[in-house]
Amino acid sequence: AAGEGRAAWLGMLAAELWYAAYWVVTQSVRWSPVRRRPFIDRLAARHGERLPCVDIFVCTADPYSEPPSLVVSTILSLMAYNYPPEKLSVYLSHDGGSILTFYGMWEASLFAKHWLPFCKRYNIEPRSPAAYFSESDGHQELCNPKEWSLIKDMFDKMTERIDTVVMSGKVPEEIKASHKGFYEWNQEITSKNHQPIVQILIDSKDQNAVDNEGKVLPTLVYMAREKRPQHHHNFKAGAMNALIRVSSVISNSPIIMNVDCDMYSNNNDAVRDALCFFLDEEMGHKIGFVQYPQNYYNLSKNNIYGNSLHVINEVEMGGMDSLGGPMYIGTGCFHRREILCGRKFTEDYQEDWNAGIKDKLQESIDETEEKAKSLAACTYEHGTQWGDEIGVKYGCVVEDVNTGLAIHCRGWDSVYNNPKRPAFMGVGPTTLAQTILQHKRWSEGIFSIFLSKYNVFLFAHGKTKLRHQMGYHIYGLWAPNSLATLYYVIIPSLALLKGTSLFPEITSPWIAPFVYVFCVKNMYSLYEALLSGDTLKGWWNGQRMWLVKRITSYLFGVLDNLRKLLGLSKINFVVTPKVSDEDESKRYEQEIMEFGSSDPEYVIIAAIALLNLVCLMGGLSKVMKGGWNVHLDALFPQLILCGMLVITSIPFYEAMFLRKDKGRIPFPVTLASIGFVMLALLAKIV
């Protein structure tokens, strides 16, 4: 390590120490995992149909990145639970305030009269019509073929009408006359400037709110909270808090569930499963929320972008459950209403499961809607504790993590329920750009918590277990991982090119720890991935994406947090698009990586791939010229590291030099990356 390589060696030492510390953090949730199993037959035996009311919140923002036809299928799946319909209320918060999404909801309220009886008559799963009919071959024989065809035809025509309206950008006048809610919109309304809109499309307490068999329908409510340019709206957290208030004057159920607009219900008994924990006689009074995993139905066979979250779902969340409970991840979660309103845990706490608005004090729907609108006004929260001590936390793009942490610190436990049949299925990113954007938002938000007063080690000190705090930091430290990774994929390769050894010689006993860590870490990672449901190739793709996310998403997460600390930028919430064009979808199915634009992230990926290729060839050349025995002994570990990075980067070389499709890496990106590689080589950093 003497001489010219000393500075590089010290940097490597720092990176190794960081990885060692982070490894200890990741082990905190692997020592005593828990897997729970609810027994809904016992719930029925003890409580019958005397079950609490449940409010279901769905949030959407933009009718083009989150199409109304997608939202409608989610809404219908949630209305169709195996649960007393008069005790279910489904609320949609639409932050874009678009008449197009309201039109979709109106269509859903009509189709529900046919869809819900059909679901319950044949006990079908899943109850998202889009998902169900896409799996039609496996279900059609269970139903009356004529009825199946009739319902499918109705759904297809409804979807076609919704998509046509969205494409045209306006609702026909003859349809507007069908419901008073359409007249809330005028020419002056924009997505960022509109009055509060609350419309009760179905009121389960109305005797006329029945399906085509005369059975009660769940309550269905559309809400667009007030937006004004001069008032900050606090993104999804603000929408959730408005829903809490609006629902309090319509149904006021003691249990609140929230899902993203693309996460349809895939398990008819998810509500009853969750209630098994809340109503448990021994531990139920301690549970603040029940969290389900986040699963995607559109993953490619071998998980090309590493989006499966299998290890997180199967290993890490179950591990946190043994320490006090999983994090709140913002979707697929059941909360007690009172804990979202700031209640602290006490041993003598008893929930009133009969809470809720029973007769609405004989108010008309119009009166209830007007009262609810006042609670969705943009000035309502001024001078209150909303967003701080009450409701979902503000000030962070991952408001869910902050909120869950505050609940844990108030003394509540949470429970992780991961049934064999996933409770919810959503739309995962289908392009590299979507994946990078999603992980940038996650890593940036969670790292901002680490840098704030809500740093888990400080905020939760003495309130939760140390290992539970470490479990939170598995994700809180995603972003700074980028710095050690970036160093590790650049400096050893440049040192190899110069012939500078940074590792012990291959014949030295000091190489043993490096070999041991490399082999065991990868073997255990493969074991966890295969055990969690990944394929061998899926695990390998995950390793590639491990690298990509750390040198792009997580790096930008660090940089954006630094900019915020310096006052150079503000918090921004970007919705991950839920749509891709036909060519992108085809390449995704074929597991061909999608680039296609000149994003700066692609320059980083291409530059590091090319740098390692050049350094590997240069290193091999040095070894051959200087004598295999002399140089190979000293440089072999770096040759292996550089070679692994080159093998991992094969899809990037193909995208730069071999592919001709629109998803290839554009020539300007390749040119820019070559320029950066030349600068690195000329600078002789090592």
Side-chain angles (χ1 to χ4, degrees):
E4 61 184 2
R6 183 175 295 276
W9 183 86
L10 289 172
M12 292 288 289
L13 175 63
E16 293 286 359
L17 290 173
W18 171 265
Y19 284 135
Y22 185 70
W23 178 83
V24 171
V25 169
T26 63
Q27 296 311 297
S28 64
V29 299
R30 287 170 164 80
W31 298 338
S32 52
V34 167
R35 188 171 186 99
R36 301 182 188 270
R37 181 185 169 194
F39 295 89
I40 58 174
D41 54 331
R42 297 178 188 176
L43 181 75
R46 290 181 184 176
H47 299 278
E49 293 301 301
R50 301 185 308 278
L51 298 170
C53 296
V54 178
D55 288 344
I56 301 175
F57 295 170
V58 183
C59 294
T60 185
D62 176 54
Y64 297 102
S65 61
E66 297 170 329
S69 54
L70 175 102
V71 177
V72 161
S73 277
T74 298
I75 293 292
L76 289 165
S77 73
L78 299 169
M79 294 176 71
Y81 273 123
N82 281 340
Y83 204 75
E86 68 276 8
K87 295 187 176 185
L88 278 180
S89 300
V90 181
Y91 295 79
L92 178 76
S93 165
H94 184 220
D95 260 9
S98 171
I99 194 173
L100 306 177
T101 302
F102 178 75
Y103 169 69
M105 286 283 284
W106 175 74
E107 285 277 14
S109 70
L110 301 178
F111 183 65
K113 296 179 180 181
H114 306 275
W115 178 245
L116 269 60
F118 176 74
C119 290
K120 293 177 182 180
R121 186 178 308 120
Y122 299 107
N123 196 29
I124 66 168
E125 280 187 318
R127 294 187 176 178
S128 156
Y132 173 74
F133 288 121
S134 69
E135 303 172 8
S136 58
D137 294 341
H139 296 288
Q140 191 169 356
E141 69 275 9
L142 302 176
C143 309
N144 179 310
K146 186 176 180 180
E147 186 178 5
W148 186 94
S149 299
L150 177 66
I151 296 293
K152 185 178 188 302
D153 185 56
M154 290 177 64
F155 174 68
D156 289 341
K157 287 180 178 178
M158 178 189 72
T159 302
E160 185 180 351
R161 290 194 299 271
I162 293 172
D163 290 343
T164 300
V165 165
V166 172
M167 288 179 66
S168 68
K170 59 182 180 180
V171 178
E173 290 299 323
E174 60 271 20
I175 292 177
K176 287 184 179 180
S178 303
H179 194 279
K180 64 182 177 60
F182 288 108
Y183 295 104
E184 292 276 0
W185 280 267
N186 56 48
Q187 296 294 326
E188 298 176 0
I189 283 183
T190 66
S191 62
K192 296 180 180 179
N193 190 10
H194 60 80
Q195 80 280 12
I197 302 171
V198 177
Q199 289 294 313
I200 302 174
L201 289 155
I202 301 174
D203 181 4
S204 63
K205 297 175 182 64
D206 184 348
Q207 293 181 350
N208 297 319
V210 294
D211 60 30
N212 60 7
E213 293 184 353
K215 295 179 181 176
V216 177
L217 287 168
T219 296
L220 181 63
V221 181
Y222 172 94
M223 182 201 79
R225 60 192 169 119
E226 184 179 17
K227 289 278 196 72
R228 300 299 177 196
Q230 65 271 30
H231 295 284
H232 186 50
H233 56 82
N234 293 301
F235 313 112
K236 182 181 174 182
M240 282 287 292
N241 286 340
L243 281 171
I244 293 171
R245 295 192 299 273
V246 165
S247 64
S248 71
V249 296
I250 297 174
S251 52
N252 199 35
S253 300
I255 297 291
I256 290 174
M257 181 187 96
N258 82 284
V259 290
D260 289 340
C261 67
D262 62 307
M263 300 288 289
Y264 68 80
S265 170
N266 188 59
N267 186 326
N268 302 339
D269 292 317
V271 176
R272 292 179 183 267
D273 281 353
L275 289 176
C276 284
F277 299 106
F278 287 118
L279 298 176
D280 184 84
E281 293 174 355
E282 292 184 11
M283 58 175 283
H285 69 289
K286 299 178 182 178
I287 296 170
F289 62 89
V290 177
Q291 179 65 64
Y292 284 87
Q294 188 167 358
N295 292 294
Y296 300 126
Y297 65 81
N298 63 331
L299 295 174
S300 63
K301 181 181 177 182
N302 294 301
N303 194 19
I304 182 67
Y305 296 122
N307 287 318
S308 69
L309 308 179
H310 282 156
V311 173
I312 292 176
N313 289 343
E314 299 294 332
V315 179
E316 294 177 353
M317 296 290 272
M320 287 190 75
D321 196 1
S322 68
L323 305 173
M327 302 186 302
Y328 168 37
I329 61 173
T331 185
C333 191
F334 289 78
H335 284 95
R336 295 178 188 268
R337 178 180 289 269
E338 289 198 358
I339 67 153
L340 283 177
C341 294
R343 187 183 184 97
K344 293 182 179 179
F345 172 73
T346 55
E347 285 291 344
D348 60 349
Y349 172 73
Q350 290 293 327
E351 179 79 60
D352 178 12
W353 293 119
N354 294 317
I357 295 174
K358 299 174 182 63
D359 57 10
K360 290 173 50 183
L361 305 177
Q362 306 302 317
E363 280 184 352
S364 69
I365 284 183
D366 290 342
E367 290 173 325
T368 303
E369 286 174 350
E370 288 305 313
K371 185 187 292 185
K373 286 177 185 178
S374 68
L375 300 175
C378 59
T379 57
Y380 181 86
E381 295 178 353
H382 291 184
T384 72
Q385 292 293 309
W386 282 96
D388 186 13
E389 296 298 323
I390 305 174
V392 180
K393 297 277 186 183
Y394 293 158
C396 181
V397 294
V398 286
E399 72 295 320
D400 39 19
V401 177
N402 247 1
T403 303
L405 174 62
I407 291 168
H408 283 138
C409 290
R410 289 200 295 266
W412 297 95
D413 289 340
S414 59
V415 161
Y416 182 61
N417 188 31
N418 186 11
K420 287 184 179 179
R421 181 178 180 88
F424 303 97
M425 299 294 285
V427 180
T430 57
T431 68
L432 184 59
Q434 290 174 9
T435 302
I436 289 173
L437 172 64
Q438 185 179 70
H439 280 268
K440 175 184 173 293
R441 189 177 76 232
W442 287 350
S443 62
E444 175 192 340
I446 303 175
F447 187 47
S448 72
I449 296 173
F450 179 80
L451 298 174
S452 73
K453 67 178 181 179
Y454 293 108
N455 178 293
V456 182
F457 285 136
L458 301 176
F459 186 70
H461 178 67
K463 301 171 185 173
T464 65
K465 298 175 183 176
L466 177 61
R467 282 174 55 201
H468 197 213
Q469 298 165 26
M470 292 168 71
Y472 268 94
H473 279 300
I474 292 174
Y475 315 103
L477 296 176
W478 269 355
N481 264 328
S482 62
L483 303 177
T485 304
L486 205 59
Y487 193 92
Y488 227 94
V489 300
I490 294 175
I491 301 304
S493 301
L494 289 173
L496 172 65
L497 189 63
K498 286 191 69 178
T500 303
S501 174
L502 296 180
F503 294 95
E505 295 180 354
I506 195 66
T507 54
S508 166
W510 293 106
I511 195 65
F514 293 92
V515 174
Y516 175 80
V517 169
F518 175 80
C519 293
V520 173
K521 176 68 175 70
N522 282 290
M523 286 170 60
Y524 190 73
S525 169
L526 176 60
Y527 164 75
E528 278 193 337
L530 295 178
L531 193 67
S532 301
D534 276 331
T535 62
L536 179 61
K537 190 175 180 182
W539 170 78
W540 179 251
N541 288 334
Q543 298 304 296
R544 179 185 300 113
M545 288 306 301
W546 180 95
L547 172 65
V548 167
K549 287 182 284 195
R550 278 156 182 74
I551 62 176
T552 56
S553 304
Y554 301 168
L555 176 63
F556 282 91
V558 170
L559 296 176
D560 282 359
N561 271 291
L562 289 175
R563 291 174 61 205
K564 286 171 194 166
L565 289 173
L566 296 171
L568 301 176
S569 69
K570 295 180 179 179
I571 295 173
N572 189 29
F573 187 94
V574 182
V575 176
T576 307
K578 305 299 188 298
V579 290
S580 301
D581 66 35
E582 191 174 336
D583 288 341
E584 289 176 349
S585 298
K586 189 175 180 180
R587 286 189 288 273
Y588 179 65
E589 290 172 8
Q590 296 171 342
E591 298 198 318
I592 299 171
M593 294 196 84
E594 185 72 33
F595 295 92
S597 65
S598 300
D599 295 344
E601 293 91 339
Y602 299 159
V603 177
I604 297 173
I605 294 169
I608 287 176
L610 288 174
L611 177 66
N612 278 281
L613 182 62
V614 170
C615 291
L616 179 64
M617 292 190 295
L620 287 171
S621 175
K622 276 186 179 293
V623 168
M624 287 187 287
K625 285 180 182 177
W628 281 95
N629 293 334
V630 178
H631 284 79
L632 187 61
D633 191 32
L635 297 177
F636 186 75
Q638 281 155 265
L639 282 170
I640 292 295
L641 175 61
C642 196
M644 292 294 290
L645 288 168
V646 168
I647 294 170
T648 304
S649 301
I650 287 174
F652 309 145
Y653 304 134
E654 292 175 346
M656 280 188 277
F657 304 117
L658 300 180
R659 286 168 52 185
K660 303 297 181 184
D661 56 78
K662 291 182 180 179
R664 68 185 183 277
I665 292 179
F667 181 69
V669 171
T670 303
L671 201 62
S673 63
I674 291 172
F676 280 114
V677 170
M678 291 177 67
L679 284 173
L681 297 176
L682 290 172
K684 296 181 180 180
I685 295 173
V686 180

